[in-house]
């Protein structure tokens, strides 16, 4: 499954966002997603099959965590946009800085 299809589902994005802050067991992910266990397990299987998420067993519990794998197809598409957005933010910052340093007519400082 390509990265765009993988990330298109809001439940999978929610799981990935949660796992960015650390490991979580299935019960915690079920509570987070507010969906039944079989549905959350299906999303976890998709994420495991993609290689973005892995699990370790502690007794009967499965603890999920992110792997080092990245959705490279999504990153390849996104990186040029980040450069363009950064340039726009830099221009905005310069305009705001110029506006705050210029004396304002009718305002005593």
């Amino acid at each position: 499954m390509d990265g765009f299809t993988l990330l298109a589902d809001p439940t999978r994005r929610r799981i990935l966002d949660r796992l960015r802050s650390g490991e979580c067991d299935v019960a915690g992910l079920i509570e987070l997603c507010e969906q039944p266990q079989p549905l959350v397990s299906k999303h976890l299987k998709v994420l495991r099959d993609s290689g973005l998420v892995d699990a370790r067993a502690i007794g009967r519990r499965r603890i999920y965590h992110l792997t080092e794998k990245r959705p490279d197809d999504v990153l390849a598409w996104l990186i040029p946009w980040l450069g363009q957005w950064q340039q726009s933010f830099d221009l905005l910052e310069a305009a705001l800085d110029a506006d705050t340093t210029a004396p304002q007519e009718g305002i005593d400082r």
Side-chain angles (χ1 to χ4, degrees):
M1 178 180 298
D2 70 70
F4 292 98
T5 304
L6 183 71
L7 297 175
D9 187 279
T11 300
R12 288 194 289 267
R13 289 194 311 270
R14 194 173 301 124
I15 291 169
L16 291 170
D17 284 341
R18 168 54 187 87
L19 294 179
R20 275 189 311 127
S21 65
E23 297 181 325
C24 189
D25 65 3
V26 175
L29 295 172
I30 290 168
E31 183 178 331
L32 170 77
C33 296
E34 298 177 339
Q35 295 182 357
Q37 184 273 329
L39 189 55
V40 172
S41 291
K42 285 182 183 182
H43 288 296
L44 287 168
K45 180 177 180 352
V46 170
L47 292 169
R48 280 194 326 269
D49 290 349
S50 75
L52 293 179
V53 169
D54 201 3
R56 61 187 173 86
I58 299 180
R60 296 181 68 188
R61 292 178 53 210
R62 297 191 56 83
I63 309 298
Y64 289 86
H65 60 273
L66 294 178
T67 66
E68 297 295 319
K69 186 173 182 200
R70 305 174 306 178
D72 289 329
D73 53 346
V74 174
L75 291 172
W77 179 83
L78 187 59
I79 286 172
W81 287 98
L82 292 174
Q84 183 175 351
W85 293 330
Q86 186 59 52
Q87 183 181 15
S88 296
F89 287 131
D90 291 344
L91 291 170
L92 175 61
E93 181 180 29
L96 291 172
D97 287 345
D99 187 50
T100 58
T101 58
Q104 307 241 340
E105 291 185 33
I107 298 177
D108 293 327
R109 291 191 182 222

